[in-house]
């Protein structure tokens, strides 16, 4: 009788400890699964005082400077973000000593789509001397198009001005552009050149 009681207590203790083990293991797996979904919302790389240079066959095509750049790679649509502003110089082989410039308070790059956005006091100066000012700017690199729906203020190299109240679209090298609902102050020489 005593032997039977000892065996049954041992069996109950063994079953009880197995049950606790399985309960704890399953809870631990659930916590891991829940935390796994949240764990991708952090940068995989952080660059402080970034100074990035991009080259093509030895020629510097772009130089970007930013206080901080964060790269998010562990999500479905990876991106790079500069939350404290960015200053970019872009170089053309035709005029390598006169870079174009882009500055913004915020920039985001979707690497897979090659889609860029800049926000907050976006300023562009082309290597031809044209100056653009707007609040947001989008660049679709595969389509080689830049666009915005914001009001665009443009100062040309000769001092004439143009305002695109409903935004603009442009080729990414600014060789041609279209302004929507525009007004401005163009010189007579410019108007006669455009009619030819």
């Amino acid at each position: 009788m005593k032997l039977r009681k000892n065996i049954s207590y041992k069996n109950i203790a063994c079953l009880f400890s197995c049950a606790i083990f399985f309960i704890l293991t399953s809870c631990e797996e659930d916590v891991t699964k829940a935390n796994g979904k949240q764990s991708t919302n952090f940068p995989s790389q952080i660059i402080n005082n970034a100074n990035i240079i991009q080259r093509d066959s030895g020629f510097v095509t772009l130089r970007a400077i930013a206080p901080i750049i964060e790269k998010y790679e562990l999500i479905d649509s990876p991106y790079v973000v500069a939350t404290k502003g960015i200053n970019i110089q872009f170089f053309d082989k035709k005029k390598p000593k006169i870079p174009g410039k882009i500055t913004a308070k915020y920039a985001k790059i979707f690497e897979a789509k090659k889609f860029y956005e800049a926000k907050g006091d976006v300023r562009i100066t082309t290597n031809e001397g044209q100056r653009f000012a707007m609040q947001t700017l989008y660049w679709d690199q595969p389509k080689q198009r830049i666009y915005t729906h914001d009001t665009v203020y443009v100062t040309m190299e000769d001092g004439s001005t143009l305002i695109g109240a409903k935004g603009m679209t442009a080729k990414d090298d600014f060789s041609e552009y279209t302004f929507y609902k525009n007004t401005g102050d163009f010189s007579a020489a410019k108007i006669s050149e455009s009619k030819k």
Side-chain angles (χ1 to χ4, degrees):
M1 189 78 148
K2 287 182 183 179
L3 183 61
R4 193 180 289 172
K5 282 186 180 178
N6 285 341
I7 291 173
S8 64
Y9 286 134
K10 285 181 183 177
N11 286 343
I12 291 171
C14 181
L15 287 171
F16 186 68
S17 58
C18 287
I20 290 173
F21 172 76
F22 285 116
I23 289 170
L24 290 175
T25 306
S26 65
C27 289
E28 188 177 309
E29 287 176 7
D30 290 341
V31 169
T32 306
K33 287 177 185 174
N35 288 340
K37 291 178 183 173
Q38 295 172 356
S39 66
T40 59
N41 195 17
F42 61 87
S44 56
Q45 294 180 31
I46 299 173
I47 304 170
N48 288 307
N49 299 318
N51 188 357
I52 299 168
I53 297 172
Q54 182 179 348
R55 297 175 193 270
D56 181 14
S57 303
F59 177 74
V60 175
T61 55
L62 182 133
R63 177 176 284 133
I65 298 169
I68 187 166
I69 291 179
E70 298 173 338
K71 190 169 189 176
Y72 292 80
E73 297 175 292
L74 306 174
I75 55 177
D76 292 337
S77 296
Y79 64 90
V80 176
V81 65
T83 55
K84 297 194 177 187
I86 195 162
N87 186 335
I88 300 172
Q89 291 182 321
F90 51 95
F91 298 85
D92 186 357
K93 289 183 180 178
K94 295 174 187 172
K95 291 188 175 183
K97 297 194 181 207
I98 306 171
K101 297 174 189 171
I102 299 175
T103 59
K105 290 185 177 178
Y106 172 91
K108 190 173 188 179
I109 303 162
F110 294 94
E111 293 182 316
K113 297 176 184 176
K114 294 185 178 177
F115 188 83
Y116 302 75
E117 68 180 54
K119 294 182 179 180
D121 292 330
V122 181
R123 301 290 182 262
I124 302 171
T125 303
T126 68
N127 60 3
E128 300 287 335
Q130 301 159 330
R131 295 186 310 262
F132 297 78
M134 64 212 78
Q135 286 303 308
T136 59
L137 182 71
Y138 303 97
W139 177 27
D140 190 337
Q141 189 178 12
K143 293 181 181 177
Q144 298 180 328
R145 301 303 294 173
I146 291 176
Y147 65 91
T148 185
H149 301 294
D150 293 340
T151 301
V152 180
Y153 301 92
V154 185
T155 305
M156 306 305 269
E157 61 275 9
D158 66 353
S160 57
T161 59
L162 177 70
I163 299 171
K166 296 289 184 181
M168 74 165 194
T169 61
K171 283 186 73 171
D172 58 4
D173 63 357
F174 289 97
S175 59
E176 57 185 61
Y177 33 80
T178 303
F179 297 97
Y180 301 103
K181 199 169 182 188
N182 53 334
T183 59
D185 172 25
F186 272 89
S187 67
K190 277 279 184 193
I191 293 170
S192 63
E193 282 177 23
S194 65
K195 289 181 179 177
K196 291 180 182 178

